[in-house]
Amino acid sequence: MLKAENLHCVYSSGLIKTVKNRAVSGVDLEIFPGETLAIVGESGCGKSTLAKMLVQQLAPSSGEVFFEGTKLTGMNWKNLRNFMGKIQLIPQNPDDVLDPKWTVERSVAEPFVLCGGFSREEISENVDALFAEVGLSVEHKPRYPHELSGGELQRVVIARALALKPELLVCDEATSMLDVSVQAFIVAVLKEIQKKRGLGLVFITHDLEAAKAVSDRVLVMYAGEIVEEGKDVFDSPLHPYTRALLDAVRYVSLDVVLQEDDRALPDDFLGCPYFRMCRERTGACKEPQKLRDVSGRLVRCWKV
Amino acid sequence: MSDVLLKVSGVSVSIPTGQGTVRAVDDAAFSIKKHEVFSLIGESGSGKSILGQAIIKLLPPNAVFSGKVELDGREISALSEKEMQKIRGKTVASIAQNPYLAMNPGLRVGTQVAEPMRAHLGLGKEDAKDRTRGALKYFDILPPEVREREYPFQYSGGMLQRAMVAMGTAADPELIIADEPTKGVDVLKRRNIAAIFQKVASEGCAFLLITHDVGFARAMSDRIAVNYCGQILEIAGKDEFFKEPLHPYSKALLDAVPERGMHPIPGSSPSMIDVPEGCRFHPRCPHKTKSCLSDPPVVEIDGRYVRCWLYA
């Protein structure tokens, strides 16, 4: 359904002494209808940048995104608008995307108003249906964002994202700010909607257990690159980084405090991005690593 | 003296607000033994942070406190602010959630880490400096001679968190209260915080961990208390608790954890102003009966405490 080819994103800052920061480098991915793809990695590994590029909020430095065969990158925004409703982003913090001075009803109705062609009654019916779909009651409608709890706000954002019948939802850490019980509730809501509407779901998170619980396929990112991709990544991790992440989740070997990664590899370093932190590194890791297919799993490590 | 370090009995805190009185803590009772890691778990807004603040008397000025807090057999809830200052940082240290907000941005980290030693141990400038360097080194903040002269903004988040732990442990406290140490932190950093805490705990310091992260509590603690809507519903040893939680809310909470399949708890948390009558969990409880409409008793079963009619 959605396909990304060789996506790169470079943030540069400073006018005279330009500092370039490779946030995402060379990501290829494909999402199929009705599938849940989890993207996991620590903070700062480029997950959110990737999400923004997938939903066309950010133009990639190079690379292309296709939606059902149509190239989205480089399209002018008039044509792009036709696709915007089909790919929706659910951000981490609902406060960032809801207008604090609008009632949540008005926020959810906004996509219909922007699209045009709906009468007032139709809009109100649609909004009611959306509220019911995400498990909010009618009494929530006239309230303002500050009057709702985090879980309720996240449901409002989901309702709005569903308004234009999207085919793909990209959830960028949509549950990581919430409590476990609320998290479970939001995930249940998303899963139910996915089942009913057959949507594709991209679930970006740093919580591996949550990723394992919701996803069909997992993609592990480190320093802007995919290091491992496949179906049962968590049962038999192959890349040393995936193993380190899993150990961290299960609190294995707590007697060692891991050294902080300053990630300041030289600009011309083309080898494995995990080189500094890896406990199994050798000289051969300084060579560029390719994603290789190891019995149906893509892994970026020559040792496997 | 017995091996009980902190004893909290019948503590209630209510906070008057414009919409009504928030009963943030209701009849909390527990004790922490020496060298014990005790976790208080619960959802946001269940009053667990307020309980932590009540213990060291750092409540908001309009909060109404009642009950008794004993530290090493001495009642500290009745102490004056001046006497309390001698305890905070010395016997009981607290580690705040966000190190960037908790550290003074305008003071060098070394100065801040040395402060509890200077104030409580009466060390001179040079002695404190030596000890600060030792503490920074102990927590892998290297090289200490350079790092002690830097300001908080020059530190990375994880390193500053470690500096804060160094500051908290500077005067060799007997108890550390850590409020949500892992909120908004990714798995690798969370693991590192766990590793540091374990390092401190292994030297005999007791911990009160206030957290909503069930996995973290499981990895760290000896005993666990479950807080819901201002009340402690269950207190149990870690192993028994994770093997077989007694209270229906504990069961539901554990089932909501990703490892156990993320089953949501039906309904939503009640407002703290208009709390349900009787058992506070009864509107969402699958086992509710008529008796749940009156206040449930705290029942003791094999050293575990549970506030539920099911076991009465």
Side-chain angles (χ1 to χ4, degrees):
Chain A
M1 182 165 55
L2 187 88
K3 198 170 158 196
E5 274 178 9
N6 203 15
L7 278 183
H8 286 264
C9 182
V10 181
Y11 291 114
S12 44
S13 55
L15 280 174
I16 299 158
K17 214 177 161 188
T18 310
V19 179
K20 288 200 168 156
N21 202 340
R22 275 182 299 174
V24 174
S25 39
V27 169
D28 294 291
L29 64 90
E30 229 177 318
I31 300 145
F32 303 101
E35 183 195 39
T36 309
L37 172 72
I39 302 179
V40 297
E42 61 192 282
S43 348
C45 75
K47 305 183 297 264
S48 298
T49 305
L50 180 62
K52 281 184 190 155
M53 289 195 290
L54 291 181
V55 298
Q56 305 302 313
Q57 278 190 2
L58 187 75
S61 309
S62 70
E64 277 144 15
V65 179
F66 298 91
F67 183 75
E68 288 172 345
T70 321
K71 189 172 143 188
L72 294 183
T73 34
M75 194 185 258
N76 68 31
W77 72 262
K78 258 190 180 164
N79 294 333
L80 197 57
R81 269 192 89 146
N82 300 328
F83 290 95
M84 287 310 232
K86 295 193 176 156
I87 312 171
Q88 287 285 342
L89 178 75
I90 295 170
Q92 175 170 18
N93 193 347
D95 287 330
D96 294 346
V97 291
L98 291 174
D99 191 322
K101 289 171 128 185
W102 284 16
T103 61
V104 294
E105 180 182 15
R106 190 171 163 202
S107 283
V108 176
E110 196 191 6
F112 297 110
V113 178
L114 286 180
C115 266
F118 292 93
S119 71
R120 220 172 248 201
E121 289 75 35
E122 275 173 334
I123 292 181
S124 140
E125 259 170 47
N126 282 330
V127 171
D128 284 350
L130 286 170
F131 267 70
E133 196 168 351
V134 295
L136 290 172
S137 65
V138 186
E139 66 180 76
H140 289 112
K141 273 169 58 178
R143 298 210 201 157
Y144 288 90
H146 72 266
E147 295 173 303
L148 296 177
S149 70
E152 285 164 341
L153 276 183
Q154 199 59 278
R155 277 184 268 168
V156 170
V157 176
I158 295 173
R160 186 170 67 168
L162 291 175
L164 297 176
K165 303 203 165 38
E167 286 165 39
L168 179 70
L169 279 184
V170 180
C171 311
D172 185 4
E173 301 266 16
T175 58
S176 44
M177 300 287 278
L178 304 169
D179 283 323
V180 272
S181 62
V182 186
Q183 218 175 54
F185 189 84
I186 295 289
V187 166
V189 167
L190 283 171
K191 279 298 211 187
E192 200 188 298
I193 290 165
Q194 183 186 31
K195 219 162 114 193
K196 212 159 61 187
R197 299 193 174 199
L199 322 151
L201 208 59
V202 178
F203 199 81
I204 296 176
T205 177
H206 64 252
D207 186 346
L208 283 89
E209 293 290 351
K212 189 178 171 181
V214 297
S215 63
D216 305 320
R217 195 153 57 95
V218 181
L219 202 146
V220 183
M221 275 183 83
Y222 182 77
E225 289 184 358
I226 296 175
V227 295
E228 187 163 354
E229 184 195 333
K231 286 218 158 100
D232 39 6
V233 167
F234 297 131
D235 299 324
S236 53
L238 295 176
H239 196 280
Y241 177 66
T242 319
R243 266 180 273 150
L245 271 183
L246 274 175
D247 283 355
V249 169
R250 292 171 192 156
Y251 299 96
V252 177
S253 61
L254 278 183
D255 45 335
V256 201
V257 179
L258 294 177
Q259 275 302 316
E260 210 114 325
D261 171 25
D262 49 4
R263 208 165 300 169
L265 286 167
D267 271 353
D268 51 351
F269 184 82
L270 294 170
C272 177
Y274 191 52
F275 181 72
R276 284 265 168 96
M277 298 277 287
C278 190
R279 290 180 198 173
E280 301 159 33
R281 66 180 166 219
T282 59
C285 298
K286 289 182 185 164
E287 299 298 316
Q289 306 286 321
K290 283 206 181 83
L291 267 184
R292 288 181 306 119
D293 197 322
V294 182
S295 53
R297 181 97 59 84
L298 292 172
V299 188
R300 196 187 292 273
C301 182
W302 66 272
K303 281 195 158 182
V304 183
Chain B
M1 204 37 227
S2 65
D3 60 346
V4 172
L5 179 63
L6 180 82
K7 192 169 173 215
V8 174
S9 37
V11 165
S12 299
V13 179
S14 53
I15 302 167
T17 66
Q19 279 93 45
T21 305
V22 176
R23 289 160 67 192
V25 180
D26 186 20
D27 190 25
F30 62 90
S31 57
I32 300 179
K33 296 191 197 83
K34 282 179 180 154
H35 320 303
E36 184 181 46
V37 180
F38 186 88
S39 289
L40 187 62
I41 59 175
E43 296 169 68
S44 340
S46 63
K48 50 191 195 312
S49 294
I50 292 284
L51 179 53
Q53 290 167 9
I55 291 169
I56 46 172
K57 293 189 75 176
L58 285 176
L59 286 170
N62 58 345
V64 183
F65 173 92
S66 66
K68 210 162 120 185
V69 180
E70 281 167 272
L71 184 72
D72 255 342
R74 180 176 173 211
E75 188 176 339
I76 59 169
S77 43
L79 291 184
S80 69
E81 177 60 26
K82 211 170 174 186
E83 284 172 300
M84 210 48 218
Q85 276 178 2
K86 286 184 194 153
I87 289 175
R88 277 188 223 124
K90 175 106 200 299
T91 328
V92 185
S94 82
I95 294 175
Q97 187 185 115
N98 184 340
Y100 288 101
L101 291 178
M103 303 282 270
N104 185 337
L107 282 179
R108 295 183 202 275
V109 174
T111 317
Q112 299 189 54
V113 174
E115 204 181 341
M117 306 175 191
R118 308 250 297 143
H120 294 298
L121 304 182
L123 293 184
K125 229 176 186 172
E126 288 308 310
D127 290 344
K129 206 168 191 175
D130 284 347
R131 265 188 79 150
T132 304
R133 283 185 186 165
L136 292 178
K137 204 170 160 197
Y138 183 79
F139 289 107
D140 281 317
I141 300 171
L142 304 167
E145 302 78 37
V146 181
R147 285 297 185 180
E148 68 176 2
R149 295 193 55 77
E150 289 186 345
Y151 290 92
F153 75 91
Q154 290 168 298
Y155 276 53
S156 73
M159 211 186 291
L160 197 60
Q161 184 114 29
R162 296 207 292 270
M164 208 162 62
V165 179
M167 182 168 75
T169 52
D172 298 323
E174 289 177 56
L175 174 71
I176 292 182
I177 300 178
D179 191 0
E180 295 278 17
T182 61
K183 198 170 190 177
V185 175
D186 75 29
V187 279
L188 288 167
K189 298 205 188 84
R190 193 173 74 186
R191 183 216 162 273
N192 261 358
I193 294 171
I196 295 162
F197 280 13
Q198 201 122 85
K199 204 171 172 180
V200 177
S202 68
E203 310 221 322
C205 184
F207 269 91
L208 171 60
L209 293 179
I210 299 172
T211 180
H212 67 262
D213 186 337
V214 179
F216 184 73
R218 180 175 198 167
M220 297 298 301
S221 38
D222 302 316
R223 277 195 307 146
I224 286 186
V226 180
N227 204 35
Y228 177 75
C229 200
Q231 275 181 339
I232 294 180
L233 297 185
E234 182 170 355
I235 302 176
K238 175 184 74 173
D239 296 329
E240 298 107 78
F241 179 77
F242 282 102
K243 207 169 135 209
E244 201 208 344
L246 293 179
H247 199 280
Y249 173 69
S250 317
K251 284 179 193 155
L253 186 69
L254 287 188
D255 280 343
V257 172
E259 290 91 318
R260 301 226 188 163
M262 295 188 112
H263 304 290
I265 305 176
S268 56
S269 303
S271 123
M272 299 279 281
I273 293 168
D274 194 14
V275 290
E277 236 172 84
C279 171
R280 297 190 175 182
F281 187 59
H282 86 262
R284 305 169 76 183
C285 182
H287 307 288
K288 63 170 173 254
T289 57
K290 268 186 195 148
S291 51
C292 295
L293 282 171
S294 50
D295 281 331
V298 179
V299 189
E300 189 183 346
I301 309 165
D302 305 331
R304 308 171 63 165
Y305 297 88
V306 58
R307 192 189 287 264
C308 182
W309 280 111
L310 277 181
Y311 303 95

